[in-house]
């Protein structure tokens, strides 16, 4: 068994370099490939700024992406306080070698393992001492030459730079949830919206603003525009909402799954002095989105 291990949040291009090497090595050795990952996130368990942590992928999204890249098996270990006390050596011996019968390990450039937070060079040394074949990968350079990381991608999404985040992820960022009842104001303005409640509360939400999006619902995909924010013109300003106007769509979808994929931010959230001014802006927003569709 050839194994790679880590949290792999977002399964971004840096992670994919490791996964490509994992799949290639397993085929060369005529063995299975396995990713050993964790849930929940260590920061949630260890309470290290957990209130600020938001994830790029749900557990199911992560597993699905890893398998789609050719990995034979994905194993998820429960990350508990007890588990967090394992040293790198203990983890390699007890889990990778003992439980999963690993013969080789693929390490990314910044892999850290164990309670002692052993870095990649030392993990390589320990693994070699234990008889594991060690396969190393380099960093995946971003377009600015700086290595890609989940933390950098989260910052981009928080800033609304979803197009830049996509270039680091290797795919466009999306949210999955259920359509719930809203205040129906959008319908009175001629822009009915689907109000989304996320299935994973810890999923990262893009920063406040209006976005050009793709919408998956009822087994089909549509274009649309999505407002993320506090609805300052009509809301109480206390709760973040995710409301999407789906273009050329007029179906009752309350209670159904909806997937919103963020293409680019088109403007910041703004408070308008009247509903008429809000409607004028929504018309301009749609015209701009339609230009992007036709590009």
């Amino acid at each position: 068994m050839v194994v790679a291990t880590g949290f792999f949040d977002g399964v971004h291009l840096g992670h994919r370099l490791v996964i490509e090497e994992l799949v290639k090595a397993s085929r060369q050795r005529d063995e299975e490939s396995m990713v050993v990952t964790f849930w929940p996130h260590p920061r949630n368990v260890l309470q290290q700024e957990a209130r600020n942590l938001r994830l790029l992928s749900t557990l199911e999204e992560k597993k699905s992406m890893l398998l789609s890249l050719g990995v034979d098996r994905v194993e998820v270990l429960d990350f508990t306080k007890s588990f967090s006390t394992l040293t790198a050596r203990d983890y390699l011996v007890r889990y990778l070698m003992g439980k999963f019968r690993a013969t080789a390990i693929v390490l990314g450039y910044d892999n850290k393992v164990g309670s002692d937070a052993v870095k990649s060079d030392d993990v390589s040394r320990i693994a070699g001492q234990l008889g594991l074949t060690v396969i190393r990968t380099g960093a995946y350079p971003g377009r600015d030459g700086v290595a890609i990381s989940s933390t950098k991608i989260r910052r981009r999404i928080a800033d609304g730079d979803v197009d830049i985040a996509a270039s680091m992820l290797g795919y466009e960022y999306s949210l999955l949830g259920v359509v719930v009842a809203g205040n129906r104001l959008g319908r009175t303005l001629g822009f009915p919206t689907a109000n989304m409640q996320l299935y994973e509360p810890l999923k990262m939400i893009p920063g406040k603003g209006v976005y050009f999006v793709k919408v998956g619902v009822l087994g089909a995909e549509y274009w649309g525009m999505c407002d993320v924010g506090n609805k300052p013109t009509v809301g109480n300003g206390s709760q973040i909402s995710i409301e999407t106007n789906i273009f050329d769509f007029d179906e009752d979808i309350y209670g159904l799954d909806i997937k919103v994929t963020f293409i680019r931010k088109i403007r910041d959230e703004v408070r308008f002095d009247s509903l008429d001014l809000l409607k004028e802006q929504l018309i301009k927003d749609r015209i701009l989105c339609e230009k992007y569709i036709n590009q």
Side-chain angles (χ1 to χ4, degrees), residues 134-204:
V134 179
I135 302 158
R136 301 286 296 272
T137 68
Y140 187 99
R143 59 187 182 184
D144 57 359
V146 178
I148 291 170
S149 72
S150 298
T151 298
K152 291 173 185 173
I153 295 170
R154 291 189 198 106
R155 288 177 187 149
R156 287 296 191 179
I157 293 173
D159 290 341
D161 298 325
V162 292
D163 49 340
I164 297 176
S167 72
M168 301 166 79
L169 286 165
Y171 58 90
E172 291 159 337
Y173 188 71
S174 63
L175 300 176
L176 181 64
V178 61
V179 180
V180 296
N183 59 15
R184 292 183 175 269
L185 177 64
R187 187 169 294 277
T188 67
L189 295 174
F191 289 87
T193 58
N195 190 30
M196 170 190 278
Q197 179 177 304
L198 296 180
Y199 283 133
E200 173 52 73
L202 289 181
K203 179 89 175 193
M204 183 93 197

Side-chain angles (χ1 to χ4, degrees), residues 25-37:
S26 68
R27 289 174 180 167
Q28 290 173 343
R29 295 166 63 92
D30 196 25
E31 297 183 54
E32 279 191 300
S33 59
M34 175 188 288
V35 168
V36 181
T37 188

Side-chain angles (χ1 to χ4, degrees), residues 21-77:
E21 191 61 44
L22 169 69
V23 172
K24 182 175 77 172
S26 68
R27 289 174 180 167
Q28 290 173 343
R29 295 166 63 92
D30 196 25
E31 297 183 54
E32 279 191 300
S33 59
M34 175 188 288
V35 168
V36 181
T37 188
F38 320 105
W39 199 264
H41 194 285
R43 281 166 57 182
N44 289 121
V45 175
L46 303 177
Q47 298 180 333
Q48 296 172 338
E49 299 181 0
R51 70 174 62 189
N52 298 320
L53 176 66
R54 292 296 178 268
L55 301 176
L56 299 173
S57 53
T58 67
L59 178 57
E60 288 307 312
E61 286 172 334
K62 177 165 63 172
K63 289 166 64 176
S64 177
M65 284 189 282
L66 290 169
L67 292 171
S68 74
L69 294 172
V71 175
D72 294 312
R73 291 173 56 187
V74 178
E75 293 289 339
V76 182
L77 298 176

Side-chain angles (χ1 to χ4, degrees), residues 1 8 15 22 40 48 59 63 72 79 91 96 105 148 156 198 204 215 217 248 284 292:
M1 186 74 69
F8 294 103
H15 295 144
L22 169 69
Q48 296 172 338
L59 178 57
K63 289 166 64 176
D72 294 312
F79 195 94
Y91 174 64
L96 298 198
I105 183 171
I148 291 170
R156 287 296 191 179
L198 296 180
M204 183 93 197
V215 186
V217 67
D248 305 315
K284 293 176 183 177
Y292 292 138

